[in-house]
Amino acid sequence: MKTTIANLKRGQRALIKEITSDVIPLKLLEMGCLPGNEVQLLQAAPFQCPIYLNVNGSHLAIRKEIASQIEVQII
Amino acid sequence: MAKQIKVSLIGNPNTGKTSVFNLLTGLNQQVGNYPGITVEKKEGICKLSRGVKAHILDLPGTYSLNASSVDENVVIELLLNKKDKDFPDVAVVVSDVENLKRNLLLFTQIKDLEIPTILVINMADRMNRKGITLDIPLLEKELNTKIALVSARKKEGIDELKKLIESHALLPKTPCVDALSFAPDYFDRLKKTFPNQSLYKLWLVITQDVNFRKFDKQQVDIAPDFKIKSESELKRLQQKETIKRYQFINDVLKRGLIVDEKAATGMRAKLDRVLTHKFWGYFIFFMILLLIFQAIYDWSSYPMDMIDEAFAWLSEATKSALPAGPFVDLITEGIIPGLGGIVIFIPQIAFLFLFISILEESGYMSRVVFLMDRVMRRFGLSGKSVVPLVSGTACAIPAVMATRNIENWKERLITILVVPFTTCAARLPVYLIIIALVIPDEKVGWIFSYQSLTLMFLYFLGFGTAVGSAWLLNKILKIKSKSYFVIEMPGYKIPLFKNVVINVVEKTKAFVFGAGKIILAISIILWVLASFGPNENFNNAEEIIATEYVDLSEEEQENKIASYKLEHSFIGYAGKAIEPIVAPLGYDWKIGIGIISSFAAREVFVGTLATIYSVGSDEEETIKNRMAAEINPKTGGPLFNFASGISLLLFYAFAMQCMSTLAIVKRETNSWKWPMAQLIFMSALAYGVALIVYQILK
């Protein structure tokens, strides 16, 4: 099974590997969610959705469906 | 008039762009709308030096030139159209020192448009605390621009910015990165076909679905082989472009920006741990909501009472100061009570906008969105619907506009459709007066009174109906839209006093003048309709009463004449005509008139009754006493009793009685279908509920 942002635990850091799906909005990419950049899960709302991330220095929140489309490698 | 330098302020949301705008223009600013759309247009004048002024335009916040909302479209439409009267001589891109990397993405795009550009790095006062050091000369060289280091909070660096604006002719116009090198063949061909155009401009015209000047669009349409074949192909290319830009930015910042993590201290993590906590986060949000309602209903009642009395006094004083006549009657019985009905809202609207702007400025609102998203989604709404629903307690108009940042169309549409159920400020005077009339002024337990509990119930009813109809709409509406949700979580900031004050003043002004015009017009029309009649019964009222009631005292006769006149005026006949429709709800023809007139705007109800009841009455008496004394001719008891009062409260809770909201919904949904559906559904619900409740309670 692929590891995605949705699998991260609180405080865990990871590197973004690949963004394949068309579902990912351009806006998210523009906010720094690009392959090779670092992502850290800061906080999750109840039921793990939405999740609050630090991506490449940007603080943002996304829903689980999108988070589970972004493949990462935990570091 | 001397020529003004035209400046556009551009930047990501949450960079303090508006603070910079406020600092440059002071109170010398005005807020309007872009023609044809409801995007706020903020502009102002800034004095640079002797005889030189700048016209500053504060463009809507945007993350990039790839527009995804109406607000963002405004930015590229302006920047691509050299003929626009607002086309900037110089673009000022405002960035936040803590988010420089992300903010520079937009900067590189603006540079590609070959417009002279200044980079403002704002919040410079936070550099020390965050352990950030900048190599300004290096950044200026690499980014091919001039940089102004500004702290809007400490009012530092503004003079340097003004100097840069004044000498804008010296700014370089060339791009700082070749971001379009990801598809060399394609762009080479494009360059050959349109040798005189900027490549990036052409690229934007091809990729963006916005209303460009015909000229540009046609040019590209002539060459269909430049069209991008599919949505996913377009996305792939835009992704490549974004990566190119970030590669450049990362490379520049690696040399130009040093962050000493050890020196960095921040409240963000600590505050977030509490404010987004699974229990405390919700608890704190709930307490803040309670505080807001307390302010709106309790604290604002003092200035409101004063306004109420002041207008009653003014009406009386005008009457005694001026000679009697129809014109003076129009002023004292039509215009002054009408104006009073508008001014009385100011304290509540101001309080609400005060809280909302503090919550937004501080960065807390994003945490609320984060906390509420999951809950709201169950009802087909988004976390971002919370802000409109809370704003809806002031007025549905800004609330409908606040739905713009909901990316998912279905969630946004549902939010727009249900927002008018929330208890807006305009319902409040109706609620307050009816509650005072029919709910006993007694305490339950120590603190709560029946009256305040009723009011609270009506608020919950509003929210409950909004959320319940959202759930229903979510089941009914078959709209497929891509569900995505990205929200920036800005750092916490202490709100700037100046920004908050300007915001509150602007929003209150917009409400008072917007709604005010309608209310004033309607109260004048009502007065005219109540002061003239279609037949002789009206004109001969004095004689008819005098012959019919010979034994009555002069005062009693006068009261009889007044009510006889009202009954035989135009409005009296209109009211009588609809009485059969409203009688099953427990209302008489006077309330009927109130309801009809409040289909334009519900706050008109109290004003209408005020106008109806003060026509022909001399004493300075508050409207409440007059309403309490009103007798239902059928039952012989008071007209406003428990059953009719509750029925009226529920009618106003559900009915769609606001033309301005319907107009704004039409604009935002671009179709008459949705506002009409709202009008029909809400009115039917209101009538049905009021009917059932009255028939049970009577």
Side-chain angles (χ1 to χ4, degrees), chain B residues 82 124 148 174 206 224 292 304 342 410 448 582 644 679 692:
Chain B
K82 279 207 166 116
T174 43
I206 294 167
I292 295 177
M304 289 173 80
I342 306 158
K410 188 176 176 185
F448 301 110
V582 295
S644 66
L679 178 66
I692 293 166

Side-chain angles (χ1 to χ4, degrees), chain B residues 263-337:
Chain B
T265 52
M267 290 301 288
R268 177 199 279 272
K270 283 178 203 153
L271 278 171
D272 271 339
R273 212 166 296 149
V274 182
L275 294 178
T276 59
H277 188 267
K278 284 175 187 170
F279 172 75
W280 293 110
Y282 293 95
F283 181 78
I284 291 167
F285 177 50
F286 188 69
M287 295 313 282
I288 290 175
L289 278 185
L290 275 186
L291 181 75
I292 295 177
F293 287 131
Q294 179 72 13
I296 296 181
Y297 299 109
D298 209 30
W299 304 348
S300 58
S301 67
Y302 302 102
M304 289 173 80
D305 286 346
M306 279 160 55
I307 294 169
D308 201 17
E309 280 162 27
F311 272 89
W313 173 85
L314 184 67
S315 196
E316 216 31 47
T318 320
K319 211 173 221 177
S320 50
L322 296 172
F327 182 66
V328 175
D329 283 350
L330 173 63
I331 294 175
T332 59
E333 291 166 1
I335 295 178
I336 294 181

